[in-house]
Amino acid sequence: MNFFKYFFLFILLFSSPSLFAQTDSTAVRAKEGEGVYSLLRRFGLNPAEHLQAFLELNKERLGEGNSLLLHKSYSLPVATTSATVPEAEAGDSVAGAGVPVVAEVPAVEIKKEASVLNIPLFGKNNARVEVKDQQLKGAVYYLLSGHGGPDPGAIGQYGPYQLSEDEYAYDVTIRLARRLMEHGAMVYMIVQDENDGIRDGSILEADRDETDISGAPIPYDHNERLRQRVSSINRLYLQHKGDYQRMVAIHVDSRRRNQNVDVFFYHHRNSPSGKALAERIQDRFITNYARHQPDRPYDGDVSERSGLYVIRYSHPPTVFIELGNIGNQRDQRRFVLAENRQALANWIFEGILGQYKAEQQ
C-alpha cells in the first residue's frame, strides 16, 4: 500500500479511528490495480488523515498486505475533523532548479505520545513500530533511496541472479527510517514502494512500481526524476521551517568487478552541517569496522561533491552515501545478507543520533 504516499512521506502513520464517524460511510469499489491510497485520493480523502479509519472499517475485506480486491465493496470513512496541507503559493519553485514545487504532499506525523505506531509501508512483519524514546524529538529527516521506478540503477551479477541497486538501497533506507522512528524522529521516505516493505531475502526481486512520496509515478527521464525528488524535499522543508532538518541519500556504487570499496560519503562544500553529519556517520563505521572486522581496516572517505543534483539543490543539509560496489563479490555480501543490510542501517542511525545529540548540547 502506498503508505508513504500517504505520506510518510513516511513519517509515521498514527491516526486515531475515533476521529472519524465510522457509522456514516459510503460503499465504493476499487479500480483494477488501485491501492488504498489511490482509492482514498480518488474520493477526495487525505490518506494521512483517513488511512487508519479505512483499514478499521474494511479489515474483513482486504487482501494480503491490505490490498484491495476487485469483487469487494469498501466503506469510506467520513471525517468529523479536517486537516489541509497548505497550497504552494504562486511562483514557488525549487531554489536554483526552476521546478515548480509539488502542490500537495500529505504527511503523517508521529504523535509524540504514541508508544506504538502502525506503518504499513514497512511491510506486514515490521509495520508495528515501538517508539522506545524521544531522543530524536524535534528532528526531521528526509531519506532518499537512489533510482527506482523505471531506473534500477547499477546492476551486479550474483551467480545466476542480477542485483538491482534501487532494491538494495531502498531496503537499507527503509530499515534506517524504522530505526529513526523508534526514537521519536519525523521521517519522510521520498521514494516509496507500497508492496515491498522491509525484506529479509537475499535476492530482492526488481520491480518498477516505486513512486515519489507525493504518490506521483517516478519519471523515466533522469533529470525529471531528480527534479521531482528535490521538489518534494524542498516543499516539505519549507513546511518545517525552523526545525532541525537533514537529508540522507543512499546509493550503491558500480565500479570494476575486482574493486572492493568501503562505504563513502559526499556533502556540499558550503555545508558545514552536511560535512559534520557525514563525518559523524563515518566515525561510526570506523569504530564498528574495528570491532567487527579487526583484520580489515575501514578505507572509505568523506569528500565534497557539490555538483550532484540532490546535494546542490536540496535545501536541508545533505549527506550522500555510497554503500559499496554492487559488482564486486566481496561487497555483494554487504547487500545480499539481510543482517548486513540491517547493520548498515544501524550504523548510519548511530551516526545520525550522535550528531543530533552533539548539536543539541
Side-chain angles (χ1 to χ4, degrees), residues 190-237:
I190 303 304
V191 172
Q192 300 179 12
D193 190 321
E194 63 180 13
N195 302 314
D196 284 348
I198 293 172
R199 293 175 284 176
D200 289 332
S202 296
I203 308 303
L204 303 185
E205 183 178 355
D207 57 32
R208 300 164 59 94
D209 61 352
E210 295 87 1
T211 67
D212 177 68
I213 185 172
S214 66
I218 295 176
Y220 181 83
D221 180 79
H222 175 68
N223 292 326
E224 288 298 320
R225 284 199 300 276
L226 294 175
R227 283 193 285 266
Q228 180 189 65
R229 278 151 215 215
V230 168
S231 179
S232 290
I233 292 167
N234 290 346
R235 162 83 169 135
L236 290 161
Y237 179 85

Side-chain angles (χ1 to χ4, degrees), residues 55 137 142 171 202-203 244 274 316 318 320 338 348-349:
L55 296 179
K137 180 179 180 179
Y142 308 97
D171 195 68
S202 296
I203 308 303
Y244 179 97
T318 295
F320 190 107
I348 295 170
F349 162 75

Side-chain angles (χ1 to χ4, degrees), residues 70-126:
L70 290 177
H71 63 282
K72 297 285 187 181
S73 293
Y74 295 97
S75 298
L76 296 177
V78 178
T80 58
T81 62
S82 62
T84 59
V85 177
E87 292 295 324
E89 296 181 2
D92 277 352
S93 63
V94 177
V99 183
V101 298
V102 176
E104 180 181 3
V105 181
V108 179
E109 180 177 355
I110 294 179
K111 303 299 182 181
K112 304 308 183 203
E113 70 275 14
S115 58
V116 177
L117 305 172
N118 177 37
I119 312 296
L121 189 69
F122 292 157
K124 182 179 179 180
N125 296 329
N126 294 282

Side-chain angles (χ1 to χ4, degrees), residues 5 26 160 197 216 234 249 259 347:
K5 295 173 184 180
T26 301
N234 290 346
Q259 189 171 4
W347 297 359

Side-chain angles (χ1 to χ4, degrees), residues 1 30 35-36 39 51-69 71-75:
M1 299 187 5
V36 175
L39 176 71
L51 175 63
Q52 196 69 17
F54 179 89
L55 296 179
E56 287 292 327
L57 282 171
N58 300 284
K59 57 186 177 182
E60 302 299 328
R61 287 167 281 179
L62 295 168
E64 184 178 356
N66 290 329
S67 59
L68 300 179
L69 306 175
H71 63 282
K72 297 285 187 181
S73 293
Y74 295 97
S75 298

Side-chain angles (χ1 to χ4, degrees), residues 139-198:
V140 181
Y141 294 99
Y142 308 97
L143 304 185
L144 174 61
S145 58
H147 307 278
D151 176 20
I155 301 294
Q157 195 67 36
Y158 182 73
Y161 304 102
Q162 287 191 327
L163 309 180
S164 297
E165 172 184 359
D166 66 326
E167 302 297 337
Y168 290 89
Y170 183 82
D171 195 68
V172 173
T173 303
I174 200 171
R175 290 170 185 270
L176 172 60
R178 196 172 191 277
R179 290 302 316 276
L180 292 169
M181 291 182 195
E182 288 176 340
H183 297 278
M186 177 175 287
V187 179
Y188 289 95
M189 280 286 289
I190 303 304
V191 172
Q192 300 179 12
D193 190 321
E194 63 180 13
N195 302 314
D196 284 348
I198 293 172

